[in-house]
Amino acid sequence: MHKADVEKFLSYIKFMGIFIVLFGLIYFFLSKLCTAVVLGLVCLLFSAVQNTGLKYEQTFKITIYALTIPTLFQALHQILAPQFYYGRFIYYCIALLYLWFAVRAIRIKQGEDSNKDIAL
């Protein structure tokens, strides 16, 4: 290979690197959005089981907040122990526990508010 061939090859690598980073960010965002949509439905199910009467819009917002900690865990998992096979399982368990307890906290808060109405 000559110097000109290497320079040409390096310019292609730079372009591919930019493409990979942009595609990776778009993929990351869309995958988290799809996860939030599905877990929003699960949160709606939790809401029905616990009789809180939440709408999908509310459960979706709760799900977005609930995915913050698991996403940080997932990033640490990929950096520190990518060979650990149960990382995805732990990711979803953390998110589901967060959703369950968030809906439970809403149910308790609704109960307290209804008790205040009766006391007045």
Side-chain angles (χ1 to χ4, degrees), residues 44-104:
L44 194 61
L45 177 69
F46 289 167
S47 172
V49 167
Q50 296 186 30
N51 273 342
T52 57
L54 296 174
K55 305 255 187 269
Y56 180 75
E57 175 186 349
Q58 296 165 319
T59 62
F60 185 76
K61 288 178 184 177
I62 293 169
T63 302
I64 295 296
Y65 287 112
L67 285 177
T68 303
I69 293 172
T71 300
L72 293 174
F73 168 78
Q74 186 181 34
L76 285 174
H77 165 252
Q78 292 297 323
I79 293 169
L80 299 176
Q83 69 279 8
F84 182 64
Y85 296 112
Y86 299 107
R88 189 172 299 264
F89 174 74
I90 293 171
Y91 171 84
Y92 285 108
C93 284
I94 293 170
L96 290 172
L97 283 171
Y98 193 103
L99 291 174
W100 177 262
F101 286 113
V103 173
R104 184 171 175 243

Side-chain angles (χ1 to χ4, degrees), residues 103-117:
V103 173
R104 184 171 175 243
I106 291 170
R107 186 192 76 211
I108 291 170
K109 183 71 173 163
Q110 287 174 344
E112 289 174 359
D113 290 344
S114 66
N115 288 340
K116 286 181 185 176
D117 291 341

Side-chain angles (χ1 to χ4, degrees), residues 23-40:
F23 180 74
L25 289 174
I26 292 169
Y27 173 77
F28 175 79
F29 177 74
L30 290 177
S31 69
K32 295 301 172 193
L33 188 61
C34 290
T35 301
V37 167
V38 172
L39 288 179

